[in-house]
Amino acid sequence: GQQVMQIPQYQHVQEGEDFTTYCNSSTTLSNIQWYKQRPGGHPVFLIQLVKSGEVKKQKRLTFQFGEAKKNSSLHITATQTTDVGTYFCAGAGGTSYGKLTFGQGTILTVHP
Amino acid sequence: DSGVTQTPKHLITATGQRVTLRCSPRSGDLSVYWYQQSLDQGLQFLIQYYNGEERAKGNILERFSAQQFPDLHSELNLSSLELGDSALYFCASSSQGTGNTGELFFGEGSRLTVL
């Protein structure tokens, strides 16, 4: 079945440093979504990417979808303590009809 | 507030028991998804319902079952509970049911502890 791998599992940064998490799928995706889960909270939707090579920005966050639609990345510029949490990518497509497969998540810690 | 309501928030029970988790989706959403989140497994997809019908199935154990009722609320039944079933169970809803899942709105989760 479809597998979505996400690295790194953990990332500790000093406030102001940049952060990137990477997501790779074993199969071609129809779309990929990103979610953020604050400690003790529930996943909250950030963005969806659909097109090959697509790049979207939300303030300090930049999301990319690979040309082959099998990988994606989330980059945060100049992290803030409010960025703390777990970032998940979630892919859909191929034989996983109706099923969104989540990566393991990257736990981001920001030290003030 | 995502608009998705899950009850109970916390549940402690013993091995071998059976529990039911309930989810009310956002108003107007026809799709309900169930996910299991444990420390070492991330978010595992269990099952999806769309307008009362099962639409997709993940790694859901035979001891687990779910259904979506005519009023669109959903229940996840977990039986013959084992210690390893202890986890956070999330329900999510979306307005779409085919192909592109669209944005998922997650409830706050039901934390199940099996002793």
Side-chain angles (χ1 to χ4, degrees):
Chain A
Q2 181 180 82
Q3 291 187 337
V4 176
M5 306 300 293
Q6 196 173 347
I7 57 171
Q9 188 174 357
Y10 302 94
Q11 186 74 59
H12 296 259
V13 299
Q14 289 293 132
E15 190 172 18
E17 292 182 340
D18 292 355
F19 158 75
T20 304
T21 173
Y22 300 91
C23 188
N24 287 286
S25 169
S26 59
T27 60
T28 301
L29 301 170
S30 60
N31 67 82
I32 194 159
Q33 299 179 11
W34 286 90
Y35 290 79
K36 176 183 179 181
Q37 184 176 18
R38 294 182 184 275
H42 58 275
V44 175
F45 176 84
L46 294 176
I47 208 161
Q48 176 173 280
L49 304 172
V50 178
K51 298 176 183 176
S52 169
E54 189 170 14
V55 178
K56 286 189 176 181
K57 293 188 176 185
Q58 288 180 351
K59 297 183 180 177
R60 295 177 295 104
L61 278 61
T62 301
F63 304 85
Q64 293 188 333
F65 201 9
E67 294 290 340
K69 300 183 74 173
K70 294 181 72 173
N71 59 79
S72 181
S73 65
L74 158 59
H75 179 82
I76 302 179
T77 303
T79 55
Q80 301 175 358
T81 54
T82 53
D83 294 326
V84 164
T86 302
Y87 291 84
F88 292 99
C89 62
T95 57
S96 65
Y97 180 83
K99 169 185 170 182
L100 203 59
T101 302
F102 279 75
Q104 293 293 92
T106 296
I107 301 172
L108 174 64
T109 303
V110 180
H111 300 283
Chain B
D1 182 10
S2 67
V4 177
T5 304
Q6 286 188 250
T7 57
K9 285 186 171 25
H10 300 276
L11 192 55
I12 301 174
T13 188
T15 54
Q17 295 299 305
R18 172 189 170 97
V19 297
T20 297
L21 309 181
R22 181 188 169 101
C23 170
S24 293
R26 281 192 329 154
S27 176
D29 282 356
L30 299 179
S31 273
V32 169
Y33 302 76
W34 286 97
Y35 283 86
Q36 179 192 56
Q37 185 175 43
S38 49
L39 285 177
D40 59 347
Q41 293 292 326
L43 278 163
Q44 298 294 313
F45 171 73
L46 295 178
I47 199 164
Q48 178 208 357
Y49 282 86
Y50 177 76
N51 203 21
E53 294 187 1
E54 182 183 305
R55 186 55 63 94
K57 213 168 187 176
N59 298 322
I60 187 167
L61 300 172
E62 286 192 9
R63 299 183 287 108
F64 296 0
S65 64
Q67 55 183 324
Q68 186 179 27
F69 295 87
D71 67 352
L72 300 178
H73 91 270
S74 178
E75 293 182 356
L76 178 66
N77 301 295
L78 314 175
S79 62
S80 302
L81 286 169
E82 301 175 359
L83 295 177
D85 297 328
S86 295
L88 192 52
Y89 291 85
F90 282 110
C91 168
S93 74
S94 80
S95 59
Q96 300 181 41
T98 60
N100 187 345
T101 60
E103 174 180 353
L104 296 188
F105 294 86
F106 282 82
E108 295 187 359
S110 292
R111 181 169 296 282
L112 173 65
T113 302
V114 182
L115 301 176

